[in-house]
Amino acid sequence: MTRGHRGSLLLRCRTLPLLTPSRFIRAYCEHAFVRWSNLETEVEERARLPGYREEAVVRHFDAPEAVETRFYEVRAKSILNRVPEASQMPFRWTINVYRGCTHACTYCASGETPILLADGRHRPIAELNVGDAIYGTRVAASGYRHYVHTTVLDKWITVKQAYRLMLVGGTELVVSGDHRLLSNRGWKHVLASPRGEHDRAFLSSGDRLAGTGPSAPQPAHDGDYRRGYLCGIGRGDGLRRSSLEARRRTRGFLAAVDVATSERVFQLAAGGQRGMTAESAHASLTFERVSELVEWPLVPSLQWCRGFLAGIFDADGSRSDFALRIANNDPDTLERTETCSRRLGFDVALDRAGNAGGLKCVRIRGGLSEHLRFFQLTDPATTRKRNFEGQTVKTFENLTVAEIEPLRCEMPLYDITTGTGDFIANGIVSHNCFARPTHKYLDFDAGRDFEREIVVKVNAPELLRAELARPKWVGEHVALGTNTDPYQWVEGRYKLMPGIWEAMRDAGNPCSVLTKSPLLLRDLPLMKQIAERTEFGAALSVPTLDERAWRATEPHSPNPRARLEAVAELTRAGIRTGVLVAPLMPGINDAPEQVAKILELASEAGAAYVTGIALHLRGEVRGLFFDWLRSNRPDLVERYKRLYQRGAYAHPDERKRLSGLVRGPELSPGERMRGR
């Protein structure tokens, strides 16, 4: 088969929430984290935009994430915008660093797609290089297909007609009709063969695909993670029998906190036994410092839990085809291992190891898919323990095909060729090629224009600093993120928000931010500085945890659990942070049990408050939403016509009912700190 006839695939991992109300539709935007370090920009043209004195510089970025998206770099005349008097917002001023959003809610594309590497980690396809070691599959003499290591032989971009393939478990793939995926009935094309060509097997609803299951986010090795790792490897059987990789990581983590170590031989190699070495720290002050680092924290963060599990696994963990175990004989260590595992969502069991010394095992249940999720969420250092080469490829129920939808457009798609003729893309066995979209697609013209024509106010930080210094400015509260999300992915390129926060800090001006992206944690140090001088608050939107609701209405936005983790991180840093359950949409995400779960997790994250806002439909958003209802929820059309017959806002009784779902007493500071 020639390259031109290979199928192309773009795969994206579903995370959460919903179509937003008109005032917030652009504030709750997905944030795919794009790496811009190697990108080149070109000035395509200059354009005159209404309301701007100077011509805008129109740029495009030479990257798949930005094809056909134009960025209008302008020097704005003002940056502080007064909210209309008729608005129901509780603030009078706002800032919009960007006009338009590259991740317009309901219809945006995902971030970087993970490819499973040979060490069990994953890497975005855009960063994959020829020669990289990854996982593929091969059929053994027994007739069963097994996972094996292979290499990337080639990589390129093609442009093809795109189709959206939605899976029951939440994964979504954008593919060409020629692309093939491994199902429980063998390789199948996305579509039947064109008329006049030989028949070929093709996918239909109900087919189950094969793979490891969706990839999980990998942790950053920040301070909390390092402390957790050192605690785990210290509380386990430690560095006496850990791998060279674990010892190197430990030395590096200790060096980061100015603790010097040396390596000594603990046991010489003899017979079939390999030699053992250990890390040691000699000075008493160093010993006290290390003892500090391995203490149990009063309220461990999720990052600490990830690091702890990585360390204890490097010290005491093992894995076979059927079980992942962490063995220890200290009850406190076992309890902390079990607690951290449950906090990360794992199904665990405590087993006796058959040892008279009281050795027991914490066992992670769920097979390869959960074991791989454990490795990716925690990132142990020991590569050999993460290896599952030779294990049988299986088909999972959560990878069942739900729907195939034509997108009626062509998209640039990445392709790769591997030594085995296949590879694992976000947990799906894919035939010898892979692709991702270069931009978000939108079913509605208004939204499509909104996400492809982005105005960037490049002088926003300096302009804000000047406006805050004006004698007439009296230091009123300024809210960011009420129209366009300041942490949409182009912020990763322009980095305008640090300058905004610095201006707010230096002026001591009260402010707040609304977003649905954990990217705001990048600027946490500046936010803390603002909070020390004046009023500062943050809010993250979590409209739903229900899979059907978010998959139907806003399938590509960030995982709400990641947002709730951001709430917890901000709260621990002393930032007053809330959760916005918005929009609440009758018949879609307003079931009491759905909202109750959000309230429970928000409380655990330490949210200072939880607020619910009913969907409102203003201007052209009303037409877009009703078009969506007719296509996806025709049973609700008449109900919404009645509820919104008077205008943009739902009937007062309905608004009262919806707000009552989240009404409750505000948490005390003590409860917030305890995550209760």
PDB file of all heavy atoms in Angstrom, residues 283-300:
ATOM      1  N   ALA A 283      26.358  13.495  57.528  1.00  0.00           N
ATOM      2  CA  ALA A 283      26.253  14.555  58.539  1.00  0.00           C
ATOM      3  C   ALA A 283      24.942  14.467  59.289  1.00  0.00           C
ATOM      4  O   ALA A 283      23.912  14.110  58.736  1.00  0.00           O
ATOM      5  CB  ALA A 283      26.388  15.922  57.871  1.00  0.00           C
ATOM      6  N   SER A 284      24.985  14.808  60.586  1.00  0.00           N
ATOM      7  CA  SER A 284      23.772  14.726  61.400  1.00  0.00           C
ATOM      8  C   SER A 284      22.711  15.696  60.906  1.00  0.00           C
ATOM      9  O   SER A 284      21.520  15.396  60.911  1.00  0.00           O
ATOM     10  CB  SER A 284      24.105  15.015  62.866  1.00  0.00           C
ATOM     11  OG  SER A 284      24.677  16.313  62.999  1.00  0.00           O
ATOM     12  N   LEU A 285      23.138  16.905  60.460  1.00  0.00           N
ATOM     13  CA  LEU A 285      22.172  17.869  59.943  1.00  0.00           C
ATOM     14  C   LEU A 285      21.494  17.332  58.685  1.00  0.00           C
ATOM     15  O   LEU A 285      20.300  17.528  58.468  1.00  0.00           O
ATOM     16  CB  LEU A 285      22.854  19.208  59.650  1.00  0.00           C
ATOM     17  CG  LEU A 285      23.297  20.012  60.871  1.00  0.00           C
ATOM     18  CD1 LEU A 285      24.030  21.282  60.430  1.00  0.00           C
ATOM     19  CD2 LEU A 285      22.092  20.364  61.735  1.00  0.00           C
ATOM     20  N   THR A 286      22.289  16.658  57.848  1.00  0.00           N
ATOM     21  CA  THR A 286      21.732  16.062  56.639  1.00  0.00           C
ATOM     22  C   THR A 286      20.728  14.984  57.000  1.00  0.00           C
ATOM     23  O   THR A 286      19.657  14.868  56.387  1.00  0.00           O
ATOM     24  CB  THR A 286      22.859  15.462  55.773  1.00  0.00           C
ATOM     25  OG1 THR A 286      23.743  16.504  55.380  1.00  0.00           O
ATOM     26  CG2 THR A 286      22.290  14.786  54.535  1.00  0.00           C
ATOM     27  N   PHE A 287      21.071  14.175  58.027  1.00  0.00           N
ATOM     28  CA  PHE A 287      20.153  13.125  58.459  1.00  0.00           C
ATOM     29  C   PHE A 287      18.834  13.728  58.933  1.00  0.00           C
ATOM     30  O   PHE A 287      17.756  13.226  58.623  1.00  0.00           O
ATOM     31  CB  PHE A 287      20.790  12.311  59.585  1.00  0.00           C
ATOM     32  CG  PHE A 287      19.884  11.253  60.142  1.00  0.00           C
ATOM     33  CD1 PHE A 287      19.709  10.047  59.474  1.00  0.00           C
ATOM     34  CD2 PHE A 287      19.185  11.459  61.328  1.00  0.00           C
ATOM     35  CE1 PHE A 287      18.855   9.076  59.972  1.00  0.00           C
ATOM     36  CE2 PHE A 287      18.332  10.497  61.829  1.00  0.00           C
ATOM     37  CZ  PHE A 287      18.172   9.292  61.154  1.00  0.00           C
ATOM     38  N   GLU A 288      18.924  14.824  59.692  1.00  0.00           N
ATOM     39  CA  GLU A 288      17.700  15.476  60.168  1.00  0.00           C
ATOM     40  C   GLU A 288      16.875  16.005  59.005  1.00  0.00           C
ATOM     41  O   GLU A 288      15.647  15.932  59.012  1.00  0.00           O
ATOM     42  CB  GLU A 288      18.069  16.617  61.121  1.00  0.00           C
ATOM     43  CG  GLU A 288      18.634  16.134  62.446  1.00  0.00           C
ATOM     44  CD  GLU A 288      19.096  17.290  63.316  1.00  0.00           C
ATOM     45  OE1 GLU A 288      18.884  18.451  62.893  1.00  0.00           O
ATOM     46  OE2 GLU A 288      19.655  17.024  64.394  1.00  0.00           O
ATOM     47  N   ARG A 289      17.573  16.553  57.989  1.00  0.00           N
ATOM     48  CA  ARG A 289      16.862  17.080  56.819  1.00  0.00           C
ATOM     49  C   ARG A 289      16.153  15.960  56.071  1.00  0.00           C
ATOM     50  O   ARG A 289      15.000  16.104  55.661  1.00  0.00           O
ATOM     51  CB  ARG A 289      17.866  17.783  55.898  1.00  0.00           C
ATOM     52  CG  ARG A 289      17.258  18.321  54.605  1.00  0.00           C
ATOM     53  CD  ARG A 289      16.250  19.388  54.878  1.00  0.00           C
ATOM     54  NE  ARG A 289      15.748  19.959  53.644  1.00  0.00           N
ATOM     55  CZ  ARG A 289      14.477  20.197  53.389  1.00  0.00           C
ATOM     56  NH1 ARG A 289      13.555  19.916  54.298  1.00  0.00           N
ATOM     57  NH2 ARG A 289      14.108  20.730  52.254  1.00  0.00           N
ATOM     58  N   VAL A 290      16.828  14.817  55.898  1.00  0.00           N
ATOM     59  CA  VAL A 290      16.211  13.683  55.209  1.00  0.00           C
ATOM     60  C   VAL A 290      15.035  13.164  56.023  1.00  0.00           C
ATOM     61  O   VAL A 290      13.982  12.813  55.466  1.00  0.00           O
ATOM     62  CB  VAL A 290      17.245  12.566  54.964  1.00  0.00           C
ATOM     63  CG1 VAL A 290      16.561  11.315  54.412  1.00  0.00           C
ATOM     64  CG2 VAL A 290      18.321  13.039  53.993  1.00  0.00           C
ATOM     65  N   SER A 291      15.174  13.125  57.331  1.00  0.00           N
ATOM     66  CA  SER A 291      14.077  12.675  58.187  1.00  0.00           C
ATOM     67  C   SER A 291      12.859  13.578  58.021  1.00  0.00           C
ATOM     68  O   SER A 291      11.715  13.124  58.021  1.00  0.00           O
ATOM     69  CB  SER A 291      14.520  12.669  59.658  1.00  0.00           C
ATOM     70  OG  SER A 291      15.593  11.776  59.851  1.00  0.00           O
ATOM     71  N   GLU A 292      13.119  14.866  57.873  1.00  0.00           N
ATOM     72  CA  GLU A 292      12.026  15.816  57.613  1.00  0.00           C
ATOM     73  C   GLU A 292      11.304  15.478  56.326  1.00  0.00           C
ATOM     74  O   GLU A 292      10.073  15.488  56.248  1.00  0.00           O
ATOM     75  CB  GLU A 292      12.621  17.227  57.463  1.00  0.00           C
ATOM     76  CG  GLU A 292      12.331  18.164  58.608  1.00  0.00           C
ATOM     77  CD  GLU A 292      13.043  19.475  58.371  1.00  0.00           C
ATOM     78  OE1 GLU A 292      12.823  20.117  57.327  1.00  0.00           O
ATOM     79  OE2 GLU A 292      13.864  19.831  59.225  1.00  0.00           O
ATOM     80  N   LEU A 293      12.084  15.180  55.286  1.00  0.00           N
ATOM     81  CA  LEU A 293      11.510  14.950  53.960  1.00  0.00           C
ATOM     82  C   LEU A 293      10.642  13.709  53.902  1.00  0.00           C
ATOM     83  O   LEU A 293       9.723  13.638  53.085  1.00  0.00           O
ATOM     84  CB  LEU A 293      12.636  14.839  52.922  1.00  0.00           C
ATOM     85  CG  LEU A 293      13.438  16.123  52.650  1.00  0.00           C
ATOM     86  CD1 LEU A 293      14.648  15.823  51.790  1.00  0.00           C
ATOM     87  CD2 LEU A 293      12.551  17.159  51.978  1.00  0.00           C
ATOM     88  N   VAL A 294      10.935  12.711  54.729  1.00  0.00           N
ATOM     89  CA  VAL A 294      10.175  11.463  54.658  1.00  0.00           C
ATOM     90  C   VAL A 294       9.052  11.396  55.678  1.00  0.00           C
ATOM     91  O   VAL A 294       8.426  10.356  55.851  1.00  0.00           O
ATOM     92  CB  VAL A 294      11.105  10.232  54.814  1.00  0.00           C
ATOM     93  CG1 VAL A 294      12.155  10.210  53.728  1.00  0.00           C
ATOM     94  CG2 VAL A 294      11.754  10.193  56.196  1.00  0.00           C
ATOM     95  N   GLU A 295       8.780  12.519  56.349  1.00  0.00           N
ATOM     96  CA  GLU A 295       7.658  12.536  57.283  1.00  0.00           C
ATOM     97  C   GLU A 295       6.328  12.497  56.534  1.00  0.00           C
ATOM     98  O   GLU A 295       6.207  12.987  55.420  1.00  0.00           O
ATOM     99  CB  GLU A 295       7.717  13.797  58.148  1.00  0.00           C
ATOM    100  CG  GLU A 295       8.765  13.755  59.233  1.00  0.00           C
ATOM    101  CD  GLU A 295       8.732  15.017  60.087  1.00  0.00           C
ATOM    102  OE1 GLU A 295       7.940  15.923  59.757  1.00  0.00           O
ATOM    103  OE2 GLU A 295       9.488  15.073  61.066  1.00  0.00           O
ATOM    104  N   TRP A 296       5.301  11.918  57.205  1.00  0.00           N
ATOM    105  CA  TRP A 296       3.961  11.943  56.620  1.00  0.00           C
ATOM    106  C   TRP A 296       3.419  13.370  56.673  1.00  0.00           C
ATOM    107  O   TRP A 296       3.421  13.986  57.732  1.00  0.00           O
ATOM    108  CB  TRP A 296       2.987  11.058  57.401  1.00  0.00           C
ATOM    109  CG  TRP A 296       3.337   9.618  57.573  1.00  0.00           C
ATOM    110  CD1 TRP A 296       3.414   8.949  58.753  1.00  0.00           C
ATOM    111  CD2 TRP A 296       3.603   8.659  56.561  1.00  0.00           C
ATOM    112  NE1 TRP A 296       3.725   7.637  58.544  1.00  0.00           N
ATOM    113  CE2 TRP A 296       3.852   7.424  57.200  1.00  0.00           C
ATOM    114  CE3 TRP A 296       3.684   8.712  55.173  1.00  0.00           C
ATOM    115  CZ2 TRP A 296       4.156   6.261  56.504  1.00  0.00           C
ATOM    116  CZ3 TRP A 296       3.982   7.562  54.466  1.00  0.00           C
ATOM    117  CH2 TRP A 296       4.213   6.353  55.134  1.00  0.00           C
ATOM    118  N   PRO A 297       2.940  13.917  55.578  1.00  0.00           N
ATOM    119  CA  PRO A 297       2.315  15.248  55.643  1.00  0.00           C
ATOM    120  C   PRO A 297       0.946  15.163  56.299  1.00  0.00           C
ATOM    121  O   PRO A 297       0.278  14.126  56.239  1.00  0.00           O
ATOM    122  CB  PRO A 297       2.205  15.656  54.172  1.00  0.00           C
ATOM    123  CG  PRO A 297       2.171  14.361  53.427  1.00  0.00           C
ATOM    124  CD  PRO A 297       2.999  13.384  54.215  1.00  0.00           C
ATOM    125  N   LEU A 298       0.529  16.241  56.902  1.00  0.00           N
ATOM    126  CA  LEU A 298      -0.776  16.266  57.553  1.00  0.00           C
ATOM    127  C   LEU A 298      -1.900  16.113  56.533  1.00  0.00           C
ATOM    128  O   LEU A 298      -2.837  15.331  56.722  1.00  0.00           O
ATOM    129  CB  LEU A 298      -0.951  17.580  58.329  1.00  0.00           C
ATOM    130  CG  LEU A 298      -2.249  17.709  59.142  1.00  0.00           C
ATOM    131  CD1 LEU A 298      -2.314  16.625  60.205  1.00  0.00           C
ATOM    132  CD2 LEU A 298      -2.325  19.093  59.781  1.00  0.00           C
ATOM    133  N   VAL A 299      -1.803  16.871  55.438  1.00  0.00           N
ATOM    134  CA  VAL A 299      -2.794  16.771  54.355  1.00  0.00           C
ATOM    135  C   VAL A 299      -2.023  16.616  53.045  1.00  0.00           C
ATOM    136  O   VAL A 299      -1.655  17.605  52.419  1.00  0.00           O
ATOM    137  CB  VAL A 299      -3.702  18.015  54.296  1.00  0.00           C
ATOM    138  CG1 VAL A 299      -4.759  17.846  53.197  1.00  0.00           C
ATOM    139  CG2 VAL A 299      -4.370  18.265  55.640  1.00  0.00           C
ATOM    140  N   PRO A 300      -1.744  15.392  52.618  1.00  0.00           N
ATOM    141  CA  PRO A 300      -0.953  15.203  51.396  1.00  0.00           C
ATOM    142  C   PRO A 300      -1.712  15.658  50.158  1.00  0.00           C
ATOM    143  O   PRO A 300      -2.909  15.428  50.029  1.00  0.00           O
ATOM    144  CB  PRO A 300      -0.709  13.684  51.368  1.00  0.00           C
ATOM    145  CG  PRO A 300      -1.837  13.104  52.144  1.00  0.00           C
ATOM    146  CD  PRO A 300      -2.164  14.101  53.209  1.00  0.00           C
TER     147      PRO A 300
END
